[in-house]
Amino acid sequence: MANVSMVDVLFALPILVPSLGALLVLLLDVFLEENWPRGIFTGVVLVGTLGAIKYVSDASGVETTLFSGVLYHDPFSVYFFLIITVTAALTLLMSEGRLRQEGIENPGEFYALYLMATAGAMIFVAAAELITLFLGLEIMSMALYCLCGSAVRLSRSSESALKYFFLGSFSSAFLLFGIALLYGLTGSTQLEVISENLVGSNSFVVAIAMGFLLFGFIFKIGAVPFHFWAPDVYQGAPTPVTAFMACTIKASALGAALRVLWMLFVENYEYYQIWSDAVWMIAILTMIIGNVVALRQRSLKRMLAYSSVGHAGYMLVAFLAPMEWGGGAALLYYIAGYGVMTIGAFGVVLAVTAAGAQERDGDDITTFNGLGNSSPVLAALMTLFLLSLAGLPPGMAGFVGKFYVFSAAVSGGYTGLVIVGVLCSAVSCYYYLRVVVAMYFIPAEAGAGDASVAPTVGLSMGSALGLCAGAVLLLGLFPSFVYDSAKLIVSGLY
Amino acid sequence: MVSVNHYLILSLLMFSIGVTGFVIRKNAIVVFMCVELMLNAVNIAFVAFARMHGNLDGEIAVFMVMVVAAAEAAVGLAIIIALFRNAKSVDTDDAAELRL
């Protein structure tokens, strides 16, 4: 019979700490005065989460599941806990003191929802059982819907919340139907049992279940054909929330998708062909559409949204190259690199648009004109992040990540996909470099409210951007440190 | 004799009605109801499968889904009210400020 031991609770601490932290923020918000340091408290909770992750990773000798097979306790979960917590903490650091400018009027609720979404993302990625997976997904999404609409007086914020809410719950209903079909085929919701019992099932029903599961995951990852929400939601939501969605949530969805899809459909070779055809198609469309549509965006947040769609395409290429070809390790590395460079880019957008954040076109590309003169450090950092996103210079996380992903795909025999990927990277240089050109070569128009006045960068924003830039360079210069441990982590996945 | 297949057909029909309504209706409240219909269609499938396999996993899943649907109702209606305050409309076509 199922019983909960103390060990289970201790090993679930990385999830429990932010959950309890979220409740505490709400509680303290009632009793303390108006301006109590919520941001610092939330930061302390995230640091506590990092401590819990350290404790769990030290203790992870034997690979087990927690709470009678509900959550995985393995290096793969720990790696994603780390990515989720670090990206959440960096986003929090850069948004410190800027919430009111973004139109968020109830910071207590913001921080509580932020921690809940973090906890949900961790449950999502660690779930060993499909109902738990669904609950993690919903905890994360429900908090995110509210976060998107947290600038309650701005109509674009509530519009983005509405779009995200409708399309998100639509896609989770499909995911849930996929879970129901798998349960019908195998009589269990445990991933391992499903994976065993799926052999020899009616392959038509398996294909439908696979399609429904893919629908749910692809939506959260933001890949074509379910990417159309991303630009609207990214643009309308407050910038800290956008950065959080683009990095933390995407990382969590990729982790969960990798585990579930590989366990169910790669391990069972009879379904591998149909699965790989579907993912191949999605990856190629995502790379092309994401990068081509980004070319004509004027809003920086929209451009970064399409860029994140394009990056989702590169990451899906890694899905196709299972363990023996190194796709999993490449994906894990890519997620880390993508996370820090995207947070950095959104951080600069947040700093530059702070003054005009309430206006609809506050993040238009003309806002960046002349930034190279008025704020050389900020412009240099933005250049670094954008070049890394474009994957241009060796020695930065973006280039190395693409190299790992594409070499894994080549050894898996997906050369055509790699050719398309490289061409798409070349296309992406245009829209990334356009921002660099605007910063350095187009002078700011006088009195247009643009970057002719240097944006203020406080201590928290400065340190967040510095940490992101440092991480991009470190990951790029010493990739083997992360890549080798990623290989070990993925080898324990099956 | 009512078999599992009958329940599954009912479930699929309800799910399809939900999907169709989601796609063609413009009123935010109705769209929201269609999502709830989809979730409840899945519930029927879960219960039918639980009966077929003779274990309780599916029935427990239904409770979880019901909780999620309730939470979704709270969040969804709050978002619709926030939108109505700003746009004075619950028509999804009016929520079209975010364009290129």
Side-chain angles (χ1 to χ4, degrees), chain A residues 13-44:
Chain A
L13 272 181
I15 297 169
L16 292 176
V17 170
S19 316
L20 294 177
L23 298 180
L24 261 178
V25 173
L26 281 182
L27 195 68
L28 292 176
D29 216 39
V30 178
F31 293 109
L32 296 182
E33 82 263 28
E34 182 67 20
N35 284 321
W36 70 281
R38 303 173 181 90
I40 294 170
F41 180 84
T42 314
V44 169

Side-chain angles (χ1 to χ4, degrees), chain A residues 245-257:
Chain A
M245 275 194 285
C247 307
T248 315
I249 302 309
K250 194 172 276 223
S252 152
L254 281 162

Side-chain angles (χ1 to χ4, degrees), chain A residues 23-382:
Chain A
L23 298 180
L24 261 178
V25 173
L26 281 182
L27 195 68
L28 292 176
D29 216 39
V30 178
F31 293 109
L32 296 182
E33 82 263 28
E34 182 67 20
N35 284 321
W36 70 281
R38 303 173 181 90
I40 294 170
F41 180 84
T42 314
V44 169
V45 170
L46 286 177
V47 171
T49 313
L50 280 179
I53 294 171
K54 177 83 175 67
Y55 167 76
V56 169
S57 73
D58 286 347
S60 64
V62 237
E63 196 182 316
T64 63
T65 53
L66 305 178
F67 303 109
S68 319
V70 167
L71 292 172
Y72 275 115
H73 165 63
D74 58 2
F76 186 80
S77 311
V78 171
Y79 182 83
F80 275 95
F81 286 176
L82 196 64
I83 297 252
I84 289 167
T85 315
V86 168
T87 50
L90 283 174
T91 315
L92 188 80
L93 192 61
M94 78 187 194
S95 57
E96 173 64 19
R98 289 173 194 269
L99 295 185
R100 288 213 190 273
Q101 294 164 351
E102 291 287 312
I104 296 166
E105 289 170 16
N106 297 308
E109 290 166 16
F110 175 85
Y111 287 121
L113 289 166
Y114 194 81
L115 287 173
M116 277 178 207
T118 310
M122 290 189 198
I123 299 173
F124 189 34
V125 85
E129 192 254 358
L130 289 175
I131 294 301
T132 313
L133 179 104
F134 177 70
L135 288 179
L137 169 74
E138 287 297 317
I139 292 172
M140 172 180 100
S141 310
M142 223 77 88
L144 268 182
Y145 303 147
C146 300
L147 281 175
C148 285
S150 56
V152 277
R153 284 183 208 290
L154 297 182
S155 62
R156 64 187 152 88
S157 175
S158 24
E159 183 187 329
S160 92
L162 186 85
K163 285 181 174 168
Y164 195 32
F165 169 71
F166 277 151
L167 296 168
S169 41
F170 186 65
S171 76
S172 353
F174 272 93
L175 183 90
L176 191 66
F177 208 105
I179 294 173
L181 286 178
L182 286 178
Y183 171 65
L185 285 170
T186 60
S188 172
T189 52
Q190 298 275 340
L191 272 176
E192 274 164 30
V193 182
I194 294 176
S195 174
E196 280 167 25
N197 294 357
L198 211 56
V199 183
S201 301
N202 182 339
S203 61
F204 177 66
V205 182
V206 174
I208 293 179
M210 185 192 296
F212 283 4
L213 280 183
L214 264 179
F215 186 161
F217 284 125
I218 289 296
F219 179 88
K220 284 289 165 216
I221 294 171
V224 175
F226 308 115
H227 68 292
F228 38 77
W229 59 277
D232 284 0
V233 174
Y234 280 26
Q235 191 190 6
T239 310
V241 181
T242 311
F244 185 64
M245 275 194 285
C247 307
T248 315
I249 302 309
K250 194 172 276 223
S252 152
L254 281 162
L258 187 75
R259 188 188 321 253
V260 172
L261 297 175
W262 277 19
M263 272 192 82
L264 297 187
F265 304 123
V266 175
E267 244 180 305
N268 289 317
Y269 278 100
E270 52 176 315
Y271 305 118
Y272 180 71
Q273 193 55 45
I274 165 174
W275 176 82
S276 64
D277 284 351
V279 175
W280 187 89
M281 190 67 104
I282 294 168
I284 210 161
L285 283 175
T286 307
M287 287 191 291
I288 294 174
I289 293 181
N291 283 309
V292 169
V293 183
L295 291 175
R296 55 191 283 263
Q297 304 303 322
R298 291 194 59 80
S299 151
L300 254 277
K301 277 160 89 178
R302 271 185 102 81
M303 186 207 90
L304 285 172
Y306 277 109
S307 131
S308 88
V309 171
H311 279 274
Y314 304 135
M315 291 191 254
L316 283 171
V317 172
F319 272 61
L320 285 169
M323 205 169 58
E324 56 271 32
W325 300 315
L331 179 72
L332 261 54
Y333 178 88
Y334 201 114
I335 290 175
Y338 165 82
V340 282
M341 56 203 186
T342 308
I343 290 186
F346 275 115
V348 179
V349 173
L350 179 63
V352 173
T353 59
Q358 305 280 349
E359 294 152 30
R360 185 184 175 287
D361 295 326
D363 60 340
D364 193 85
I365 188 165
T366 51
T367 319
F368 282 75
N369 288 354
L371 191 71
N373 279 327
S374 59
S375 181
V377 180
L378 216 50
L381 283 172
M382 188 64 167

